[in-house]
Amino acid sequence: MIAHSSSVDLEDQVEALHQILRHLNDPARLAESPWAGSTLVRQAQQRAPHLAVGQLVKLVLSEQLAVLARGHDHLADLLRGHFWEGLTVAEMVHAGRPTRQSERRFFEQQHRALEEFAALLAEEEARCTQNRIASPLPAGALLRGPAA
């Protein structure tokens, strides 16, 4: 997990991410989310210009969920089942996803998963922003102005 300036900042990030994930299947809400203007979404737009902003936000979150799964498969499975697949907490607990646990334990693990995911997203966004600043502009970019 990356260092945060305070636990309040982390809690704010976790809550904001939780709200975004609760609306994961609503592209209009995702397009209005704080992540819509992120460097990660702008990079995704270059790879997939045919997608709307809300779809790009979901794409970025899905890609980063796959990254989370490499180090924390059980936390990624919890997020995937609950937010991507739309399973209720009761359905997740009944199915033993990601492991057999009580509903209370599920919520504790969900909070941990959201913390790890928020930290991963913040770290990746910072890396992409830094790479964007460090990379030179293409020749003539200042003359052409912003891309349409």
Side-chain angles (χ1 to χ4, degrees):
M1 191 177 285
I2 62 171
H4 295 277
S5 58
S6 74
S7 61
V8 174
D9 290 341
L10 176 59
E11 286 305 313
D12 289 346
Q13 291 174 12
V14 167
E15 182 55 34
L17 179 59
H18 190 208
Q19 291 304 312
I20 291 168
L21 292 177
R22 289 179 61 205
H23 301 288
L24 193 61
N25 293 313
D26 184 349
R29 292 283 294 263
L30 292 178
E32 296 171 0
S33 77
W35 275 99
S38 71
T39 302
L40 287 167
V41 169
R42 285 195 302 271
Q43 287 183 346
Q45 191 170 33
Q46 292 173 354
R47 295 189 322 262
H50 60 284
L51 295 179
V53 173
Q55 294 170 312
L56 290 166
V57 171
K58 185 173 182 178
L59 174 66
V60 166
L61 292 172
S62 297
E63 290 171 347
Q64 293 305 305
L65 183 68
V67 173
L68 180 68
R70 284 182 249 166
H72 301 285
D73 187 51
H74 63 289
L75 297 178
D77 185 50
L78 185 149
L79 296 175
R80 186 181 312 105
H82 190 52
F83 296 108
W84 271 260
E85 297 171 19
L87 299 174
T88 66
V89 172
E91 290 169 330
M92 293 285 294
V93 168
H94 181 73
R97 282 185 70 188
T99 61
R100 298 194 65 71
Q101 61 190 342
S102 67
E103 283 192 22
R104 179 175 182 219
R105 179 76 175 141
F106 178 90
F107 284 113
E108 291 169 354
Q109 288 296 302
Q110 176 178 280
H111 192 268
R112 180 170 172 240
L114 289 168
E115 285 180 335
E116 291 291 337
F117 198 36
L120 174 69
L121 287 164
E123 189 174 282
E124 188 62 17
E125 177 67 9
R127 187 187 67 73
C128 288
T129 300
Q130 186 61 37
N131 286 346
R132 185 178 173 135
I133 291 169
S135 61
L137 291 172
L142 295 176
L143 299 175
R144 288 192 302 267

